[in-house]
Amino acid sequence: MSEPASAPLNGDVLLRVEDLAVAFPVTEGVLRPREVASIRAVDGVSFELRRGETLSLVGESGCGKSTTALAIMRLQQATSGRIIFDGTDITELGVSAMKPFRRRMQMVFQDPYGSLDPRMCVRDIIGEPLVVLGLARDRRAYRERIAYLMDLVGLLPNMAGRYPHEFSGGQRQRIGIARALALEPDLIICDEPVSALDVSIQSQILNLLMDLQDRLKLSYLFISHDLSVVRHISSRVAVMYLGSLVELAPADEIFRAPRHPYTRTLMAAAPSHDPLAEASRPRAPVIGEIPSPRNIPAGCRFHTRCPDAMERCSMAPPPVTLSAGGARVWCQLYSDPPAAR
């Protein structure tokens, strides 16, 4: 594999998410349904994404990673909070006002087959964004653009007339990446883009994404639960638990010295490729089950399973502590002044 991306942490902010929340109502009744509760899938998430960097969102299944991505793309309406893209608040923009931003924000989905229309050939799949936004000047320019995009992602242009079922999983994901690149975006959200692929193909797709980032100056919001993938591709890592962030730090720092108990648990649970290291490393088991997002615990959301939990953890939400290097951790363990620890 090539070297991971290393964007400067003081770069310009392309995307800013402020106190984002997404809730889904729980209703009862058929003829007259009424809301009896809500599922807080995302609750108070804030972060920044700088130009040219890869920020990874990690956490267990169901923690709100994909819902956060869909809200940023305006494919899921946010309940509250703000989404600021390149200085413009896009949270409440209408369809026509969002069009210029649709060009600059694209998404690569998890399923490389389900995200492609099986009735369309590859040429039309990749070129559809150009047609929708009226950017296909003429047939010749359209075909030349498709051929360029296919070559860019490692596909032969003479395969443009084929259909998705005629390609392997890795090739289908390359088609999805080419489609995302068609409009020359600034931001690409990658939602588990390699989780459905074989390990050897995962490496190829990751290297492709990193090469494209260098060539095209792209910014990635990368969603994954595979920490080995995240470590390889990330500039910074944000850890989510039950709809909220618990830690955000540069990738090398968060893998070298995770601070939040939940982050340490994730690192300890990640399998190692070295059998001897796997057999000898210490374990950090987590007690209990993940609480329901319908009944989120008071105080710190992780306190019901945390080995370091204190009485105050159940009484108030944890404050955020900012380190000199820009890392943030939401935990009561770091809320006291140094002399009191």
Side-chain angles (χ1 to χ4, degrees), residues 92-127:
E92 300 293 340
L93 291 185
V95 175
S96 59
M98 267 300 294
K99 261 195 172 182
F101 298 98
R102 295 287 184 204
R103 289 190 59 176
R104 302 179 61 191
M105 304 165 61
Q106 293 293 307
M107 195 162 183
V108 176
F109 296 91
Q110 177 177 358
D111 185 352
Y113 188 78
S115 62
L116 305 178
D117 190 333
R119 298 165 297 180
M120 296 174 67
C121 68
V122 168
R123 179 184 297 110
D124 293 337
I125 289 173
I126 297 175

Side-chain angles (χ1 to χ4, degrees), residues 9 50 248-250 253 259 321-329:
L9 292 182
R50 301 179 177 94
L248 193 159
E253 180 177 332
R259 301 176 69 198
T321 303
L322 183 66
S323 72
R328 284 178 270 177
V329 60

